[in-house]
Amino acid sequence: MASKRSLPEEDLTCPVCFDILKDPVLLLCSHSFCKDCLQKFWREKKSKECPVCRRQSSLDNPPLNLSLRNVCESFLEEKSQRASGGSEVLCSLHGERLKLFCLEDKQPVCVVCQASRKHSGHQFLPIDEAALDYKEQLNAVLKPLQRKLKKFERVKKTCDQTASHIKVQAHQSEKQIKEEFEKLHQFLKDEEEARIRALKEEEEQKSLIMKEKIEEMSKEMSTLSDTITAIEKQMVAEDIIFLQVWTFCFPSSTCSLQKPQGVSRALTDVAKHLGNLMFRVWEKMKDIVQFTPVVLDPNTAHPSLIISEDLSSFKEAYPTQTLPDNPERFDLNAYGSVLGSEGFNSGSHYWDVEVGHRAYWCVGVTTESNQGKRDTFSWERVWRVGYGFGLHFSGPGHKLKQNLHTLRVHLDLDKGQVSFSDPLQNTHLHTFKHTFTEKVLPFFYSLRSPLSILPLKPSVTIEQHRLC
């Protein structure tokens, strides 16, 4: 490389930026500069003079000094190779090329090192063969790391999807909460208006009665006042005149007198309007609300299912949705399946499911640990009945001979049994007996047909406790 360069480094340096010349241009005064440095200098000075000798240039675009550019590029390349030690690595002890690898000392050596006492009796391999062996060993370590990285990438992708889905769920839930509360607000507003209207009607009705009563009493008082005035005039008349007319005044003044009567129940029935007001409104509210004994958990639903907004029913999605692959979500092993959101540890519970004369469904219960992916879910731990297929009836499954409209599931954990019946026909279908040692969750499966959990009618009960 040194033979390609006959100029010292200072002659390859730009007088403006003091770096090795880049795209050098040559002025008529024989001075060379970086093309960009010269143009920048001219723009700042607003004069086309040489930065060294200040001689004016008659050229707007001085020509490139191609030979000088080649020398500069060669110099930079040589300098880079010197900094990196060149392409050959030499032995620090003997100055020879490192061609061998000592298997005992795990280091590259030259042929002189091989013959030295330090490496007496050692085994050697050529550099390329040793490098290949160690690369194969490292590759055996690398592949599991690469597989683990791919797993991390898949999990991270799921986490990214989950993070986005959390925002979607929060937005949709907030929207539904507002809609539900808007219904409650409207109910309370309508109830308030109805009760105020009833109060106003009672006020108007009783005010009218009192107005008529007051007018009637005013007339009687006027008549009575006239009679009193007439009698008082007779009372001051001469005795002879009084005696001549008193018999005419007395009967009319006494017989027409009646004892004034008040109006009973004239006041507003405040107790009717205010008595247990909040309770009465709440009691009436049961007509507009529903209670579903089992609520579906959309986080367990296979992506092939669309869960209703009130979480009481589902139907098949076309096409299958893109949802986060969270651990508790069913995969292809339980296609079309979803769990209830809450499980049971004890007691007796029942819920009705409308299957609607559809084929390809099963309903039952499973244990809390039996959910999610193929490696954690097994049909052997789903106690169920169904209709329309036989594929999923390994384990505790009972296939119905004919379809029905509504199925009742009765889970009695105290007795250790799950019973199925037709509530419309009051017919028992099947009972499984099993002692559950963990929480039990409702299980639902359907293919190409919707399923709905039927609501219960809420009621209000008032209990009075006897005092001892």
Side-chain angles (χ1 to χ4, degrees):
M1 285 292 186
S3 62
K4 295 181 181 179
R5 177 173 58 85
S6 60
L7 296 176
E9 183 174 347
E10 56 268 20
D11 291 338
L12 305 179
T13 303
C14 174
V16 178
C17 66
F18 303 105
D19 285 334
I20 301 301
L21 287 162
K22 183 178 181 181
D23 294 331
V25 293
L26 179 65
L27 297 180
L28 295 177
C29 59
S30 300
H31 292 120
S32 295
F33 308 91
C34 296
K35 180 179 179 181
D36 291 341
C37 293
L38 180 63
Q39 295 296 332
K40 181 179 180 182
F41 180 83
W42 283 358
R43 285 196 301 272
E44 292 176 352
K45 289 290 186 180
K46 298 182 180 179
S47 173
K48 297 177 182 177
E49 61 182 30
C50 174
V52 176
C53 65
R54 305 300 179 184
R55 180 178 175 179
Q56 291 291 328
S57 174
S58 60
L59 300 175
D60 292 336
N61 295 301
L64 285 173
N65 191 337
L66 297 178
S67 60
L68 181 59
R69 184 178 70 176
N70 293 336
V71 173
C72 291
E73 290 177 351
S74 298
F75 172 77
L76 291 174
E77 183 179 354
E78 180 183 352
K79 186 176 181 181
S80 175
Q81 286 189 359
R82 287 202 307 271
S84 63
S87 58
E88 289 187 348
V89 181
L90 303 180
C91 177
S92 59
L93 296 177
H94 308 107
E96 297 289 334
R97 287 183 61 189
L98 301 174
K99 297 181 178 180
L100 301 172
F101 185 80
C102 179
L103 298 179
E104 279 74 11
D105 295 332
K106 308 294 184 186
Q107 64 180 15
V109 297
C110 68
V111 292
V112 180
C113 293
Q114 181 187 20
S116 67
R117 293 177 179 175
K118 180 181 178 181
H119 295 280
S120 177
H122 291 183
Q123 291 185 338
F124 300 89
L125 282 177
I127 287 291
D128 56 346
E129 292 183 15
L132 181 61
D133 290 346
Y134 282 107
K135 285 181 179 179
E136 289 178 352
Q137 294 180 22
L138 193 59
N139 192 47
V141 176
L142 179 63
K143 287 184 177 180
L145 295 177
Q146 290 173 333
R147 289 194 294 268
K148 184 176 290 187
L149 177 60
K150 289 183 178 179
K151 290 181 180 179
F152 272 103
E153 289 173 347
R154 288 195 298 269
V155 174
K156 182 181 179 299
K157 182 179 179 181
T158 300
C159 290
D160 291 338
Q161 292 177 335
T162 301
S164 300
H165 196 63
I166 287 172
K167 295 184 180 296
V168 173
Q169 285 181 312
H171 176 73
Q172 292 177 343
S173 298
E174 179 182 354
K175 178 184 176 183
Q176 289 174 228
I177 289 172
K178 288 181 177 180
E179 290 176 353
E180 292 298 314
F181 271 91
E182 183 59 35
K183 294 177 183 177
L184 294 176
H185 294 161
Q186 188 61 47
F187 167 80
L188 292 175
K189 183 179 179 181
D190 294 342
E191 189 67 16
E192 176 188 8
E193 291 177 353
R195 290 179 178 273
I196 291 177
R197 185 165 55 250
L199 177 63
K200 293 294 184 182
E201 290 175 355
E202 183 179 355
E203 177 191 11
E204 292 176 1
Q205 180 183 5
K206 292 191 173 181
S207 295
L208 179 60
I209 292 173
M210 291 309 299
K211 180 181 178 181
E212 294 175 350
K213 181 66 175 178
I214 291 171
E215 289 177 352
E216 179 184 346
M217 292 185 68
S218 295
K219 291 179 181 179
E220 291 183 358
M221 288 172 63
S222 177
T223 302
L224 185 58
S225 180
D226 291 341
T227 302
I228 292 173
T229 301
I231 292 175
E232 288 177 343
K233 289 176 67 176
Q234 297 298 325
M235 290 285 289
V236 298
E238 292 183 7
D239 293 343
I240 188 63
I241 297 174
F242 171 75
L243 292 173
Q244 290 177 340
V245 298
W246 82 272
T247 54
F248 298 100
C249 297
F250 183 78
S252 62
S253 63
T254 57
C255 294
S256 61
L257 290 178
Q258 294 182 359
K259 185 178 180 179
Q261 300 289 330
V263 180
S264 61
R265 300 188 180 277
L267 295 177
T268 302
D269 192 350
V270 176
K272 181 183 74 173
H273 297 289
L274 297 182
N276 293 317
L277 177 59
M278 295 181 68
F279 175 81
R280 297 304 177 193
V281 174
W282 175 66
E283 184 182 33
K284 190 174 181 180
M285 192 179 293
K286 72 180 187 298
D287 296 331
I288 68 164
V289 299
Q290 290 184 340
F291 174 77
T292 306
V294 170
V295 176
L296 301 175
D297 183 0
N299 295 334
T300 65
H302 186 271
S304 64
L305 300 181
I306 297 177
I307 309 299
S308 64
E309 290 186 350
D310 63 358
L311 309 180
S312 67
S313 63
F314 65 88
K315 62 181 179 180
E316 193 169 9
Y318 297 100
T320 298
Q321 306 167 94
T322 300
L323 296 173
D325 190 23
N326 47 300
E328 60 271 19
R329 190 178 302 282
F330 285 118
D331 60 11
L332 283 175
N333 191 38
Y335 184 95
S337 301
V338 62
L339 293 177
S341 63
E342 295 184 11
F344 309 103
N345 286 313
S346 61
S348 177
H349 314 272
Y350 81 90
W351 54 94
D352 292 345
V353 183
E354 182 180 299
V355 295
H357 297 299
R358 300 296 201 278
Y360 306 109
W361 60 265
C362 70
V363 174
V365 298
T366 189
T367 53
E368 186 177 32
S369 61
N370 187 42
Q371 59 175 300
K373 309 304 177 203
R374 182 183 298 272
D375 56 346
T376 57
F377 174 80
S378 171
W379 286 97
E380 297 288 339
R381 289 185 289 161
V382 182
W383 292 260
R384 63 210 182 275
V385 300
Y387 179 81
F389 62 97
L391 178 63
H392 292 320
F393 279 95
S394 59
H398 176 75
K399 187 174 180 180
L400 301 177
K401 294 181 179 180
Q402 62 181 19
N403 205 354
L404 63 158
H405 181 273
T406 304
L407 174 73
R408 174 164 294 176
V409 182
H410 183 197
L411 172 65
D412 194 331
L413 291 169
D414 298 333
K415 294 182 178 180
Q417 63 182 28
V418 187
S419 299
F420 301 89
S421 61
D422 181 349
L424 301 182
Q425 302 296 328
N426 195 24
T427 304
H428 174 262
L429 300 173
H430 191 77
T431 296
F432 295 104
K433 292 187 178 295
H434 183 80
T435 301
F436 295 97
T437 57
E438 59 177 306
K439 184 178 289 187
V440 180
L441 293 164
F443 179 90
F444 307 90
Y445 167 90
S446 180
L447 184 63
R448 297 192 299 274
S449 60
L451 289 184
S452 300
I453 304 166
L454 298 179
L456 300 178
K457 184 70 174 178
S459 62
V460 178
T461 303
I462 301 173
E463 294 184 0
Q464 289 186 329
H465 298 282
R466 291 185 178 182
L467 295 177
C468 296

